[in-house]
Amino acid sequence: MPILQFVERDGILDLGWGHPRPGLLPVRQWQDATRAALDAYDWQALTYGHSAGPQPLVDWLAEHLGTVDALTASPGEFFVTAGASHALTLCATVLAAPGDVALVDVPTYHFALRILRDRGLRLVPVPRDDAGIDVEALGALVDRLRGDGQRIGLLYLVATFGNPTGLSVGEPRRTELVRFARAAGVTIVEDDTYRELGYEGAPPASLWSVDPGGPVVRAGSFSKTVAPGLRLGFVQAGPDVLDRLAGIGYVDSGGGLNHSVALAMATFARSGAYAEHVARVRAAYRSQRDALVDGLRAGVPGLDVPRPAGGWFLWLRLPEGMTAESLMVVAERNGVSFAGGAQFHTDPARGHDHIRLSFSLLSPAGLTDAADRLAAAIRSVAG
Amino acid sequence: MPILQFVERDGILDLGWGHPRPGLLPVRQWQDATRAALDAYDWQALTYGHSAGPQPLVDWLAEHLGTVDALTASPGEFFVTAGASHALTLCATVLAAPGDVALVDVPTYHFALRILRDRGLRLVPVPRDDAGIDVEALGALVDRLRGDGQRIGLLYLVATFGNPTGLSVGEPRRTELVRFARAAGVTIVEDDTYRELGYEGAPPASLWSVDPGGPVVRAGSFSKTVAPGLRLGFVQAGPDVLDRLAGIGYVDSGGGLNHSVALAMATFARSGAYAEHVARVRAAYRSQRDALVDGLRAGVPGLDVPRPAGGWFLWLRLPEGMTAESLMVVAERNGVSFAGGAQFHTDPARGHDHIRLSFSLLSPAGLTDAADRLAAAIRSVAG
């Protein structure tokens, strides 16, 4: 039984893992934050915490989001969770009943599809174009589903630096989508995990900020900015959803979902370590992205290699006629791997013409090497 | 927005909270463990952890349970969770479908009733006598339910130092119950939260140990032994249940459910701090129990005040004709409070003749004072 989720495979540079680069994890700074939090909060850091999360973290979150989004938040809008996937699990529990429809913007985060299925929801992909969800077609879809007697529990999407595409929903599409959601009574769950990892200036304003406390529930995470092993994230929502989250039996039973870590994070944030650390990792991931993109562009001239403006992922359309499955065999023989595109779709027939490459785990040099190996595999399969 | 779940009320000594005494929380030792874990595991403590929990904690758990239960465990039997209530939530998810029956041994942990209801289960109390569940009557109940076409998802109980009663299922009832469960195909979820807080020698062997890997799933916690704010517990189960736990979408998404804290706990345990700490709190809670029991016995001669052999709770039957509700008014006027007994039952008509007193939160002196106030209230209501 191992310590980590990651499984190293001999001789393979694996671009399939959306994991942070080990050297970027703030080991010493977290040691300091934990010590300082226990000095400051003493036994209060170790007993049952407030269900919605401890005030010091929530106060900081409310201020901080004003610096990375379009508007300042209020501390009363938050519920601290054990990460964004946990936030999605809890939101699916309080927003939807088994048998309801979950609308999903595909391709999307593959584990979100599993999490929504775990709740017994029926997944329905929404129509989209290059700027994001096609709101008019979505309206027709919602009418048709409701006409068939189906209840729509939620609409899930990663609007900013999406997983797996790296793309963001454009403006004015964001505003149109939120207005539609309010009018149609559809709750949007906005997975905003990658907001702080933008490499070309400020990220787009969140869907939440279009109509705060309205039809959007935002899920955030410290997994990509600080460290996934801390299991810490949050939900930002209106009072009705927050009340329902706090009313879950196991929440009320145990109090704050990750109390001691939440107080350590508050200390880490207030000390300035958060801002310093995120600036450092943002620069590092930008270099990693460029090493992968530049390597692939050089290695397969003529291939359309996008340069995502943020996040951890590059979504690559394979040359005409090539599938992820056929490429995988040759790529692994060449010492490189990736995630096939089909798992990010609800329809098993779709996505075989794409692969997802994570540039989060490897150093720039490792990514250059991986790009060379992958480019050679693509050239070889393209014959 | 506060930091803690606990809400202090001016002038009230509140025996309603099952929370640890602040002075018993191991603040300095936890600081040391966190620092040492980050020194030892470095970045591995901060990235995505193994779904079932990190090997160092699971290895220690397997050895340790051999010292507090009837047999040594195997590391492959564990799944680390964010506490025992979280363990129950996850077990209810993989063992039962909405609409199934959950059999419950009442009176029982009130939040467990809510957690099982959150899963959409129909709660059915099982027949019991003073030694625990009446296995023959349980068999008849199971036959009747199944005859009515109902599916039984699980049977929940706190077999050792139960909440709220402080009582344990006797022998040979444990063996009979586990044998019945195997024969009938009923999965028992054994909430074993209080095992290490026994005040009169070794606790009874667990239900798990009667037939390891068989019909019992055991849930454990570090909340009562170390600190609830850490949100750390575990499930011990056979391979089928463990596989289903690891297959939950949000588990697979994030890896270990409380990875960094789990590695700190492994370090805390291996350093000897766990054993030393648990010995210290066991002695302290024993004194606290005695202060409450002795105070009540002295204050209301003739009242039947049991002295629970373990755990945090005293389940007090009120004098004939007195209800928890009528006592509460006078008690609070006297500066003391408690948990009324009805919430620990599924039938709203039951439990009004009992109250649950927690002796975990207050010092012996505080408990003596609380016992005096409560005894005066009981005498006053009894007229």
Side-chain angles (χ1 to χ4, degrees):
Chain A
M1 176 173 291
I3 293 181
L4 300 184
Q5 189 179 45
F6 176 67
V7 179
E8 185 143 26
R9 291 189 294 155
D10 255 8
I12 300 271
L13 295 170
D14 198 339
L15 304 172
W17 295 89
H19 284 202
R21 177 142 70 91
L24 296 177
L25 290 164
V27 177
R28 297 303 148 221
Q29 299 95 309
W30 191 253
Q31 230 168 9
D32 292 345
T34 308
R35 190 183 59 240
L38 285 162
D39 282 342
Y41 301 106
D42 202 75
W43 63 270
Q44 294 195 78
L46 294 183
T47 194
Y48 290 97
H50 184 58
S51 291
Q55 182 158 18
L57 180 62
V58 166
D59 282 350
W60 175 79
L61 263 177
E63 290 171 38
H64 174 67
L65 286 176
T67 69
V68 295
D69 197 4
L71 80 173
T72 303
S74 143
E77 294 164 356
F78 292 95
F79 186 88
V80 174
T81 69
S85 290
H86 186 228
L88 177 56
T89 296
L90 297 178
C91 288
T93 302
V94 302
L95 292 172
D100 287 356
V101 165
L103 298 166
V104 289
D105 175 35
V106 290
T108 199
Y109 180 45
H110 50 320
F111 287 116
L113 300 176
R114 281 180 53 190
I115 290 166
L116 297 170
R117 283 196 182 105
D118 282 350
R119 177 61 180 158
L121 305 185
R122 204 167 76 74
L123 305 191
V124 177
V126 298
R128 70 175 350 271
D129 58 28
D130 287 348
I133 288 171
D134 179 335
V135 178
E136 198 177 315
L138 171 64
L141 174 64
V142 166
D143 286 347
R144 183 169 64 71
L145 289 166
R146 287 181 171 161
D148 291 348
Q150 307 211 40
R151 225 188 74 100
I152 295 168
L154 58 89
L155 188 166
Y156 170 82
L157 81 169
V158 193
T160 302
F161 312 138
N163 181 359
T165 66
L167 299 176
S168 300
V169 177
E171 270 297 1
R173 202 58 69 84
R174 290 179 178 248
T175 308
E176 288 166 23
L177 179 60
V178 174
R179 286 193 183 147
F180 164 79
R182 177 178 275 276
V186 170
T187 302
I188 296 173
V189 177
E190 177 183 24
D191 182 339
D192 207 22
T193 297
Y194 300 98
R195 163 157 305 277
E196 303 197 41
L197 298 179
Y199 311 128
E200 313 291 346
S206 65
L207 300 181
W208 164 269
S209 70
V210 174
D211 186 0
V216 181
V217 174
R218 187 220 304 248
S221 177
F222 291 97
S223 289
K224 317 302 176 188
T225 46
V226 183
L230 304 175
R231 312 309 304 134
L232 194 68
F234 60 89
V235 169
Q236 188 177 19
D240 173 55
V241 171
L242 295 181
D243 280 354
R244 282 188 271 165
L245 291 170
I248 292 174
Y250 103 82
V251 173
D252 204 5
S253 159
L257 289 168
N258 203 353
H259 179 63
S260 67
V261 170
L263 282 171
M265 186 62 76
T267 304
F268 183 83
R270 286 285 181 209
S271 74
Y274 181 91
E276 196 180 302
H277 179 70
V278 173
R280 175 168 168 257
V281 300
R282 193 186 291 119
Y285 290 130
R286 188 182 204 277
S287 306
Q288 290 169 219
R289 172 197 69 171
D290 290 342
L292 180 64
V293 170
D294 295 345
L296 286 172
R297 286 181 178 178
V300 198
L303 186 69
D304 179 20
V305 182
R307 193 181 301 270
W312 276 2
F313 305 107
L314 173 60
W315 182 240
L316 192 69
R317 179 191 288 277
L318 298 174
E320 195 65 31
M322 191 182 298
T323 65
E325 292 73 16
S326 64
L327 178 60
M328 181 71 89
V329 180
V330 181
E332 295 219 338
R333 211 181 295 138
N334 266 21
V336 65
S337 196
F338 52 78
Q343 63 194 297
F344 303 95
H345 281 272
T346 51
D347 176 350
R350 294 185 62 194
H352 298 277
D353 57 345
H354 278 82
I355 60 176
R356 188 194 76 172
L357 306 175
S358 304
F359 51 82
S360 54
L361 181 64
L362 302 176
S363 68
L367 286 159
T368 297
D369 196 359
D372 287 349
R373 297 182 192 188
L374 183 61
I378 292 173
R379 291 193 310 265
S380 158
V381 175
Chain B
M1 176 173 292
I3 292 180
L4 300 184
Q5 190 179 45
F6 176 67
V7 178
E8 187 145 24
R9 292 189 294 156
D10 256 7
I12 301 272
L13 295 171
D14 197 339
L15 303 173
W17 295 88
H19 284 203
R21 177 143 70 92
L24 296 177
L25 291 163
V27 177
R28 298 302 148 223
Q29 300 94 308
W30 191 253
Q31 229 169 11
D32 292 346
T34 308
R35 188 182 61 241
L38 285 162
D39 282 343
Y41 302 106
D42 201 75
W43 64 270
Q44 292 195 83
L46 294 183
T47 193
Y48 290 96
H50 184 56
S51 291
Q55 181 158 19
L57 180 62
V58 166
D59 282 349
W60 174 80
L61 263 178
E63 290 170 39
H64 173 68
L65 287 176
T67 69
V68 294
D69 197 4
L71 80 174
T72 302
S74 143
E77 294 164 356
F78 292 94
F79 186 88
V80 174
T81 68
S85 289
H86 186 229
L88 177 56
T89 297
L90 296 178
C91 288
T93 302
V94 302
L95 293 172
D100 286 356
V101 165
L103 298 166
V104 289
D105 175 34
V106 292
T108 200
Y109 180 46
H110 50 321
F111 287 116
L113 301 176
R114 281 181 53 190
I115 290 166
L116 297 170
R117 284 197 181 106
D118 282 350
R119 177 59 179 162
L121 305 184
R122 202 166 79 73
L123 305 191
V124 177
V126 298
R128 70 172 353 268
D129 59 27
D130 286 348
I133 288 171
D134 178 335
V135 178
E136 197 177 317
L138 171 65
L141 175 64
V142 166
D143 286 346
R144 183 169 63 71
L145 289 166
R146 287 180 170 161
D148 291 348
Q150 307 212 39
R151 225 188 73 101
I152 295 167
L154 58 89
L155 188 165
Y156 171 83
L157 82 168
V158 192
T160 303
F161 312 137
N163 180 359
T165 65
L167 300 176
S168 301
V169 177
E171 269 295 2
R173 202 59 67 84
R174 290 179 178 248
T175 308
E176 289 166 23
L177 179 59
V178 174
R179 285 191 184 149
F180 165 79
R182 177 179 277 276
V186 169
T187 302
I188 296 174
V189 177
E190 177 183 23
D191 183 339
D192 206 21
T193 298
Y194 301 97
R195 165 157 303 276
E196 302 198 40
L197 299 180
Y199 311 129
E200 312 293 344
S206 64
L207 300 181
W208 164 269
S209 70
V210 174
D211 186 359
V216 181
V217 173
R218 186 221 304 248
S221 177
F222 291 97
S223 288
K224 318 302 176 187
T225 46
V226 184
L230 303 175
R231 313 308 306 133
L232 195 67
F234 60 89
V235 169
Q236 188 176 19
D240 173 54
V241 170
L242 295 182
D243 281 355
R244 283 188 271 164
L245 291 170
I248 292 174
Y250 104 82
V251 173
D252 204 5
S253 159
L257 289 168
N258 203 355
H259 179 63
S260 67
V261 170
L263 282 171
M265 186 62 76
T267 305
F268 182 83
R270 286 285 181 208
S271 74
Y274 180 91
E276 195 179 304
H277 179 70
V278 173
R280 176 170 167 254
V281 301
R282 194 186 291 118
Y285 290 129
R286 188 182 203 279
S287 307
Q288 291 169 217
R289 173 198 67 170
D290 290 342
L292 180 63
V293 170
D294 295 345
L296 286 172
R297 287 182 178 177
V300 197
L303 186 69
D304 179 21
V305 182
R307 193 182 301 268
W312 276 3
F313 306 108
L314 172 59
W315 183 238
L316 191 69
R317 180 191 289 276
L318 298 175
E320 194 63 32
M322 191 182 298
T323 66
E325 292 71 17
S326 63
L327 178 61
M328 181 72 88
V329 179
V330 180
E332 295 219 338
R333 211 182 294 141
N334 267 21
V336 65
S337 195
F338 52 78
Q343 62 195 297
F344 303 95
H345 281 272
T346 52
D347 176 351
R350 295 186 60 196
H352 298 277
D353 57 345
H354 277 82
I355 60 176
R356 189 194 75 172
L357 306 174
S358 304
F359 50 82
S360 54
L361 181 65
L362 302 177
S363 68
L367 286 158
T368 298
D369 196 359
D372 287 349
R373 298 183 192 189
L374 183 62
I378 292 173
R379 291 193 311 265
S380 158
V381 174

